[in-house]
Amino acid sequence: MRTLISTAFISLDGVVEGPGGEPGYRNSGWTFKDIEFLPEAFEIKGREQEEATAMLFGRVSYQAFSPVWPDMAEFARYKTLPKYVVSTTLAEDDLVSNWGETTILRSLDEVAALKETEGGPIIVHGSATLNHALSDAGLIDRYHLLVFPLLLGAGKRLFSATDKDSQKLKLVEYEAYGNGIQKQVFDVVR
């Protein structure tokens, strides 16, 4: 079974919306506006590119990343990975042609089936709504979090507000950096 990893830039109060400057969110770009850049705090992002064997997105995140990431040198490795987009509305004509193989999945059952295939880790970037559904369905195996020392208040959150039984996580890696960012890697305990 493949490991499904959710990776996120997250504020201390759980917001994941607009970290890189995406339009339409009042705190857009919060990861770099008031936080000193320290390269060592982002080491995990390079490791994710090397270890991931596929990428999974929700429709909104795919449509935000696909016009930009294919031409970014920082994400060159991702161009070669198979991509999967979970959407009931996206059409084949909506997929970009310069970012490698992309498959549309229409349900969480198809995500569960993908996890059963041969291969290494599948990484989920962004995709707040998809993260909620994946978590609620018990499909996420690990979280890679870079927690920023900010309280953003309103905004899309990584974790769902569904009333459900508690889910235990095991902290397997952590580090704090001089700029206040904390790396927290959790395995989901089953």
Side-chain angles (χ1 to χ4, degrees):
M1 179 182 282
R2 299 172 81 169
T3 302
L4 186 61
I5 301 169
S6 172
T7 182
F9 295 131
I10 186 168
S11 69
L12 195 57
D13 57 348
V15 175
V16 294
E17 186 172 1
E22 300 80 358
Y25 175 58
R26 68 182 175 86
N27 287 318
S28 188
W30 53 267
T31 58
F32 58 83
K33 282 185 177 172
D34 297 316
I35 305 290
E36 175 191 4
F37 178 75
L38 295 178
E40 59 271 22
F42 298 91
E43 170 275 334
I44 194 168
K45 305 318 277 174
R47 190 169 11 131
E48 288 170 351
Q49 282 193 66
E50 293 306 313
E51 295 174 356
T53 59
M55 300 174 74
L56 182 69
F57 298 98
R59 179 190 53 80
V60 173
S61 289
Y62 175 80
Q63 290 178 320
F65 296 147
S66 64
V68 180
W69 280 18
D71 297 322
M72 292 181 71
E74 299 94 316
F75 301 116
R77 167 92 163 77
Y78 283 154
K79 195 168 185 172
T80 66
L81 298 181
K83 287 149 214 70
Y84 299 89
V85 184
V86 182
S87 174
T88 58
T89 59
L90 199 66
E92 292 290 331
D93 291 349
D94 297 323
L95 300 176
V96 298
S97 60
N98 64 336
W99 206 18
E101 173 191 346
T102 304
T103 304
I104 299 171
L105 304 178
R106 299 294 183 194
S107 69
L108 292 181
D109 288 338
E110 290 185 45
V111 175
L114 174 63
K115 283 186 62 175
E116 295 294 329
T117 62
E118 292 293 318
I122 303 165
I123 195 146
V124 181
H125 284 279
S127 309
T129 302
L130 178 60
N131 263 285
H132 296 175
L134 293 169
S135 176
D136 289 349
L139 293 173
I140 296 176
D141 301 298
R142 176 173 274 198
Y143 290 95
H144 288 182
L145 306 178
L146 284 181
V147 182
F148 285 70
L150 298 169
L151 299 175
L152 298 175
K156 292 179 185 175
R157 287 178 159 57
L158 179 64
F159 300 105
S160 121
T162 303
D163 185 9
K164 61 184 178 185
D165 292 339
S166 65
Q167 175 66 68
K168 186 167 175 43
L169 304 175
K170 179 181 179 185
L171 183 65
V172 295
E173 184 181 341
Y174 62 92
E175 192 161 349
Y177 303 96
N179 59 1
I181 294 175
Q182 296 176 36
K183 173 178 61 180
Q184 299 176 358
V185 176
F186 293 97
D187 280 343
V188 175
V189 176
R190 307 238 188 262

